[in-house]
């Protein structure tokens, strides 16, 4: 996300309200669902509004509140993925994307990647990324 937690804090400073923690849910038809740790602003009237710009001119997001998903910059929360169905392509995509996240998460301190990947891990990341791209292109042709 685009600094959603900081964006909400700035909005609260200007307009009051509170942060609602949870997950932005993304859906890629034919492949997967992805939950990304996110925060939105609850205004004084109780409406929840996303005050962070989204990539690709997304006008709305699906947001799942989760009071246990409080933001802590020292504890990165990796995205959660699930296949849309039991197809081999969707399952392979989710397995690879999960492996990619786990590889990168090993290099995180808090919310930042703090070291360059080892040569072996970079080679594995490149292999994963190539296969993810192939699957993405195959799914787009359907």
């Amino acid at each position: 996300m685009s600094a959603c937690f900081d964006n909400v804090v700035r909005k609260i400073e200007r307009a009051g309200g509170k942060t609602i923690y949870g997950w932005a849910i993304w859906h890629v038809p034919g492949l997967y669902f992805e939950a990304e740790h996110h925060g939105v602003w609850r205004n004084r009237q109780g409406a929840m509004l996303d005050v962070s710009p989204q990539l690709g001119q997304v006008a709305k997001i699906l947001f799942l509140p989760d009071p246990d998903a409080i933001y802590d910059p020292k504890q990165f929360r990796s995205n959660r993925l699930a296949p849309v169905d039991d197809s081999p392509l969707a399952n392979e995509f989710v397995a690879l994307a999960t492996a990619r996240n786990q590889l990168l998460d090993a290099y995180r301190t808090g919310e930042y990647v703090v070291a360059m990947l080892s040569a072996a891990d970079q080679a594995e990341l490149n292999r994963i990324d190539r296969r993810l791209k192939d699957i993405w292109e195959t799914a787009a042709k359907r």
Side-chain angles (χ1 to χ4, degrees):
M1 292 286 151
S2 50
C4 62
F5 302 107
D6 294 334
N7 293 339
V8 173
V9 167
R10 284 191 292 278
K11 183 67 174 178
I12 291 168
E13 289 170 352
R14 290 190 313 273
K18 68 181 275 188
T19 304
I20 303 298
Y21 300 101
W23 302 89
I25 310 295
W26 307 105
H27 174 225
V28 175
L31 283 179
Y32 67 100
F33 293 95
E34 185 167 9
E36 184 173 13
H37 192 214
H38 193 52
V40 300
W41 174 60
R42 175 173 278 156
N43 68 17
R44 292 180 183 176
Q45 292 74 39
M48 287 189 289
L49 303 165
D50 188 11
V51 296
S52 298
Q54 301 301 318
L55 296 174
Q57 309 297 334
V58 173
K60 286 182 171 184
I61 67 167
L62 176 60
F63 179 73
L64 176 65
D66 179 355
D68 295 328
I70 296 170
Y71 173 67
D72 177 353
K74 295 178 183 143
Q75 179 191 1
F76 177 78
R77 293 176 187 265
S78 193
N79 292 6
R80 299 173 185 179
L81 293 107
V84 295
D85 56 29
D86 204 25
S87 72
L89 207 59
N91 282 309
E92 182 183 5
F93 190 93
V94 167
L96 286 166
T98 299
R100 184 183 196 284
N101 286 349
Q102 289 171 345
L103 191 152
L104 292 174
D105 288 352
Y107 286 86
R108 290 189 186 278
T109 297
E111 62 184 318
Y112 302 103
V113 175
V114 295
M116 292 192 58
L117 275 62
S118 70
D121 284 345
Q122 185 62 59
E124 178 65 5
L125 182 64
N126 292 343
R127 182 194 70 76
I128 290 170
D129 284 345
R130 281 191 304 274
R131 183 62 186 139
L132 286 171
K133 182 178 181 233
D134 291 346
I135 295 171
W136 188 272
E137 290 171 354
T138 299
K141 292 175 186 174
R142 290 182 175 180

